[in-house]
């Protein structure tokens, strides 16, 4: 990305956070839908990739059905952004009532156990809202990892935004994140990781909707090394302003096998839980990048 384009991207995000959060909610909803529909009609690379990914999730879908899904997917994606731009201005009550997770006892029991908890989730609906709900409704801070973005000022915006919601944010690059996450977990803390896309190109190979991809090894390795509880989470939108979600049962560490074998089994279990949530609500899966190995350029990795 050129420096001029980086500056433009940073400026646009800055405008979003400074302007959209001041709009009345109905206006922000309409604006998000209008932008989504415009982007969908232009059929840029992101929309085409989204549609291609949906074809893996719904393999019997007709071209017309895939077009409907990609349009709904863009609307869901822009809902995520409109909500995220507005989250810093939401009241604590609005955050508490904006998310209704099912089976949250898996999380609260894990927090009470003091073993440490790892929440692993895919890019479904609004993971930032889910995180804000945890820090607000459960009054539980947590640590997460963010991909380093360019320009650096854009990365700083995201870090400040998430820290403002009560999260501790570590950079994905640099090699120190894993150790810090492990320390937080050994202290009985909470770690949240978006975990269906391997940014290192050296993750664990899994079957995902019948095809091979790689997912990060971190969640499974952290659970093995610290004894923390590993919980998959899936999210979705319905027709209301309230986001829905589910905390799935714990992914257990296998009793047999070496570390690599255990990591493979646990990461596949995460992939299976993610696939369940994505299959139920494909339009809320915001994957506008290449994911499956068959789509990736081996020399470049994920893009």
């Amino acid at each position: 990305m050129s420096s001029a384009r980086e500056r433009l991207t940073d400026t646009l995000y800055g405008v979003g956070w400074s302007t959209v959060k001041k709009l009345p909610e109905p206006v922000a909803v309409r604006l998000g839908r209008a932008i989504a529909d415009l982007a969908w009609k232009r059929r840029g690379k992101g929309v085409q990739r989204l549609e291609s990914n949906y074809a893996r999730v719904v393999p019997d879908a007709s071209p017309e059905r895939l077009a409907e899904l990609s349009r709904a997917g863009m609307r869901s994606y822009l809902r995520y952004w409109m909500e995220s731009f507005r989250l810093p201005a939401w009241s604590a009550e609005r955050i508490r009532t904006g998310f209704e997770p099912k089976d949250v006892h898996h999380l609260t029991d894990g927090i009470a156990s003091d073993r440490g908890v790892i929440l692993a989730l895919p890019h479904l609906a609004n993971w930032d809202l889910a995180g804000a709900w945890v820090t607000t409704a459960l009054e539980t801070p947590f640590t997460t990892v963010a991909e380093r973005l360019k320009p650096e000022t854009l990365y700083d915006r995201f870090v400040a935004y998430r820290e403002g919601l009560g999260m501790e944010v570590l950079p994905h690059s640099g090699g120190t994140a894993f150790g810090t996450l492990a320390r937080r977990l050994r202290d009985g803390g909470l770690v949240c990781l978006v975990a269906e896309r391997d940014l290192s190109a050296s993750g664990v190979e899994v079957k995902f909707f019948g095809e091979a991809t790689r997912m990060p090894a971190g969640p499974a390795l952290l659970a093995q090394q610290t004894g923390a509880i590993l919980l998959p989470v899936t999210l979705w939108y319905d027709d209301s302003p309230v986001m829905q979600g589910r905390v799935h049962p714990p992914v257990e560490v296998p009793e047999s096998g070496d570390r690599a074998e255990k990591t493979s089994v646990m990461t596949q279990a995460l992939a299976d839980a993610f696939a369940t949530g994505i299959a139920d609500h494909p339009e809320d899966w915001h994957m506008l990048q290449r994911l499956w190995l068959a789509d990736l350029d081996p020399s470049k990795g994920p893009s």
Side-chain angles (χ1 to χ4, degrees):
M1 185 184 293
S2 68
S3 58
R5 188 174 177 183
E6 289 176 359
R7 289 194 298 271
L8 175 60
T9 300
D10 182 45
T11 299
L12 290 174
Y13 279 107
V15 170
W17 268 302
S18 63
T19 303
V20 173
K21 69 181 179 182
K22 299 175 183 177
L23 296 175
E25 189 159 344
V27 175
V29 170
R30 290 195 298 271
L31 176 61
R33 179 161 292 199
I35 295 171
D37 287 350
L38 178 61
W40 178 77
K41 289 176 182 177
R42 292 181 62 185
R43 290 193 59 79
K45 289 183 179 179
V47 173
Q48 293 179 48
R49 177 53 53 190
L50 182 67
E51 204 164 289
S52 175
N53 289 338
Y54 286 160
R56 259 56 176 254
V57 176
V58 190
D60 58 348
S62 66
E64 293 77 15
R65 172 60 177 149
L66 287 175
E68 291 174 358
L69 272 176
S70 65
R71 184 177 189 179
M74 290 304 295
R75 287 182 172 184
S76 175
Y77 185 49
L78 264 294
R79 175 174 172 175
Y80 159 76
W81 278 112
M82 291 297 113
E83 287 180 348
S84 295
F85 287 144
R86 292 173 54 77
L87 262 177
W90 280 16
S91 67
E93 181 62 18
R94 177 71 178 87
I95 292 172
R96 281 192 292 266
T97 60
F99 179 40
E100 291 183 352
K102 298 172 175 59
D103 298 327
V104 74
H105 65 90
H106 292 304
L107 173 56
T108 54
D109 290 350
I111 293 171
S113 74
D114 287 329
R115 287 176 52 189
V117 176
I118 306 157
L119 295 179
L121 61 161
H123 289 80
L124 274 168
N126 191 338
W127 47 97
D128 285 328
L129 172 55
W133 184 88
V134 168
T135 61
T136 303
L138 301 185
E139 299 181 342
T140 302
F142 64 86
T143 304
T144 189
V145 175
E147 178 184 1
R148 275 206 175 276
L149 303 171
K150 292 183 179 180
E152 191 74 16
T153 50
L154 180 57
Y155 172 76
D156 292 341
R157 287 187 192 276
F158 273 95
V159 170
Y161 156 64
R162 289 179 172 136
E163 287 181 342
L165 298 174
M167 311 175 193
E168 179 188 22
V169 183
L170 307 176
H172 181 271
S173 59
T176 62
F178 188 91
T180 302
L181 295 173
R183 287 193 294 274
R184 299 292 183 269
L185 292 167
R186 291 191 181 101
D187 289 339
L190 177 64
V191 164
C192 299
L193 300 170
V194 180
E196 94 278 32
R197 183 166 178 253
D198 176 42
L199 295 174
S200 68
S202 60
V204 179
E205 187 168 320
V206 297
K207 285 291 185 181
F208 195 51
F209 292 101
E211 291 194 44
T213 187
R214 292 190 185 94
M215 293 188 180
L221 288 173
L222 284 167
Q224 291 176 63
Q225 292 192 18
T226 68
I229 301 166
L230 176 55
L231 299 174
V233 177
T234 53
L235 310 171
W236 66 93
Y237 291 127
D238 57 18
D239 293 330
S240 77
V242 180
M243 185 175 71
Q244 305 298 312
R246 183 179 305 280
V247 182
H248 296 254
V251 172
E252 303 291 347
V253 178
E255 295 183 0
S256 61
D258 60 22
R259 186 174 69 171
E261 291 168 337
K262 292 178 179 180
T263 300
S264 177
V265 170
M266 295 173 73
T267 306
Q268 183 64 61
L270 283 180
D272 293 343
F274 295 164
T276 297
I278 292 168
D280 288 342
H281 306 278
E283 67 279 4
D284 292 322
W285 188 39
H286 307 152
M287 185 52 62
L288 282 72
Q289 298 84 21
R290 301 174 189 272
L291 183 74
W292 280 273
L293 299 187
D295 295 335
L296 294 174
D297 180 343
S299 68
K300 296 180 180 178
S303 62

